[in-house]
Amino acid sequence: MATQDDDTLTGSVPDPEAEPTPAELAHARRFAELVDKTLAGRTPPAMSADDRALLEVATVIRAARGQLELAPARQRAVVEDALRQAIGAEPSPGGSVTPIARAPARRWAPWVVAGASTLVAAAALLVLWLRPAEPPGAPIGRATVPAEWTSRSADALIGPIARDRAGDASARIDAIFADRLDGFRARRLARRGAP
Amino acid sequence: MKRVLAGGSLALALAVALGLGAPALPACSTERDAGSPARSVTRLTDPADADASEPIGQDLLVALAQAKNFHHKAKVYMTDGNLPAATAAVRQILSLAFPRGAPEADDVRNDARALLAKLLISQGQLDEAARTVAEGLAQSQRESFFVANLYTVQGEIHEARATALDASDPGKSAASGERHAAIESYDHSIQINERLQKKLMEER
């Protein structure tokens, strides 16, 4: 049995100035709920043919006004298809959401990082444990260098100064300068010759 | 979900690595042997350490070269008989900038003071000579043959004073006191020389 709802599209067109009947108001409320459910993604599985036709028109009108957004799953599918085509792969058939498979390297990367970090830490522990102990009192951060390369007292070079040579400072400074210059050159040459 | 698991595995990996590395951190700042005393990495260099471990640098050579040139300049003035100019040249050695803590600085300055004092003695400026030597002895950080030489020159100053006192007022006890002071200075010089020679012999 046909109802008034069933002939909404095929029935007579009411006068624009006429007051809506209670049946029309009820149908309008029901259709509004139907539209809201559809926009919320909860489209009823069964509906009348007229409602389905009206719903399609409403959807087209809304899309034409630019207020329609793709669902997140659909957006991901579109982006992934574009990426697939960018790298020369075939787009996913049917346009369904198919996440790109993760490369094996990416799957193993965390464990490779973990293994390498563990090995480095273990090696550092071994080096710290096995290094030779420095002699107590040795200055930190100074390499052992020959005494000839270092700044030091000139006592060993000059020796005791006789009274009759007390004013012969010129000869002594010559000896000190020559000795320190030798040490400086030896150090420089050794550093250049080092591998 | 897989992303969460992957992130979790990476975090677990880092935690394991840090957990293994953490015990190594204290080892970086402490001695491994319990018997050796712990040393701070922020310990300042002791002046005694600099005696044996600071490499010869260009700044030291530059200072020594300048001292050498001033000595030669003074020698030329002395040969020419211009003692005031020679004295001025030697004084400039005292104001040379040596590397901080360089043992050669003390030696070169003390040697310059000894020559300066002798130049002042020869010009009759005994008080200035005595002051020059006294300053050198006061500023010396350690015993050296150059310090011993300063005591020798100090003895010469006392001898020069005694001679001057003898000339002005013969038989006065002040001259005798100066001679005693000269002997004390010479004794100081001899004692320092003996100690240092013994030390050098032991090191060899």
Side-chain angles (χ1 to χ4, degrees), chain B residues 1 9 15 32 35 45-46 54-55 59 75 95 110 140 142 147-148 151 153 166 176 190:
Chain B
M1 188 63 182
S9 61
R32 176 167 55 88
T45 303
D46 190 82
E54 200 67 38
D59 43 358
K75 196 174 182 180
S95 59
N110 282 336
S140 295
R142 58 185 166 80
V147 171
Y151 277 111
V153 175
D166 282 339
S176 178
I190 292 168

Side-chain angles (χ1 to χ4, degrees), chain B residues 1-10:
Chain B
M1 188 63 182
K2 285 182 180 178
R3 285 180 187 173
V4 172
L5 287 175
S9 61
L10 184 58

Side-chain angles (χ1 to χ4, degrees), chain A residues 71-89:
Chain A
R74 181 61 185 160
Q75 286 180 8
R76 280 198 298 273
V78 170
V79 170
E80 286 180 7
D81 278 341
L83 291 175
R84 278 174 178 276
Q85 291 175 13
I87 60 174

Side-chain angles (χ1 to χ4, degrees), chain B residues 143-172:
Chain B
E143 285 189 342
S144 69
F145 291 128
F146 300 90
V147 171
N149 190 40
L150 273 181
Y151 277 111
T152 300
V153 175
Q154 190 180 54
E156 291 180 6
I157 295 169
H158 287 302
E159 276 195 273
R161 279 178 172 163
T163 303
L165 288 172
D166 282 339
S168 62
D169 191 4
K172 203 172 181 180

Side-chain angles (χ1 to χ4, degrees), chain A:
Chain A
M1 184 176 90
T3 64
Q4 190 177 0
D5 290 341
D6 292 334
D7 60 358
T8 304
L9 298 180
T10 57
S12 59
V13 177
D15 185 1
E17 299 299 328
E19 287 290 327
T21 62
E24 287 175 332
L25 289 174
H27 184 260
R29 278 196 297 272
R30 190 173 54 79
F31 185 72
E33 289 174 2
L34 183 61
V35 171
D36 290 338
K37 286 179 182 177
T38 301
L39 294 179
R42 294 182 284 112
T43 308
M47 67 182 76
S48 68
D50 289 346
D51 283 347
R52 185 175 298 280
L54 285 173
L55 197 57
E56 286 178 2
V57 171
T59 304
V60 169
I61 291 172
R62 184 169 180 273
R65 293 183 60 186
Q67 295 177 349
L68 184 63
E69 291 182 358
L70 290 175
R74 181 61 185 160
Q75 286 180 8
R76 280 198 298 273
V78 170
V79 170
E80 286 180 7
D81 278 341
L83 291 175
R84 278 174 178 276
Q85 291 175 13
I87 60 174
E90 292 292 327
S92 61
S96 61
V97 179
T98 308
I100 296 174
R102 304 183 75 192
R106 289 192 64 185
R107 241 184 1 250
W108 290 103
W111 298 107
V112 170
V113 170
S117 304
T118 306
L119 283 176
V120 168
L125 277 175
L126 279 176
V127 167
L128 288 170
W129 183 256
L130 296 177
R131 68 174 178 169
E134 293 179 8
I140 296 174
R142 284 182 179 172
T144 303
V145 295
E148 293 79 19
W149 298 3
T150 61
S151 173
R152 62 199 185 282
S153 165
D155 281 339
L157 178 69
I158 300 300
I161 300 169
R163 184 178 172 186
D164 60 338
R165 312 235 5 190
D168 200 5
S170 179
R172 288 191 286 273
I173 189 67
D174 284 350
I176 294 171
F177 178 77
D179 181 81
R180 298 305 186 260
L181 184 60
D182 278 348
F184 179 74
R185 284 177 174 163
R187 177 172 162 248
R188 292 287 293 269
L189 289 173
R191 285 172 64 186
R192 285 180 186 169

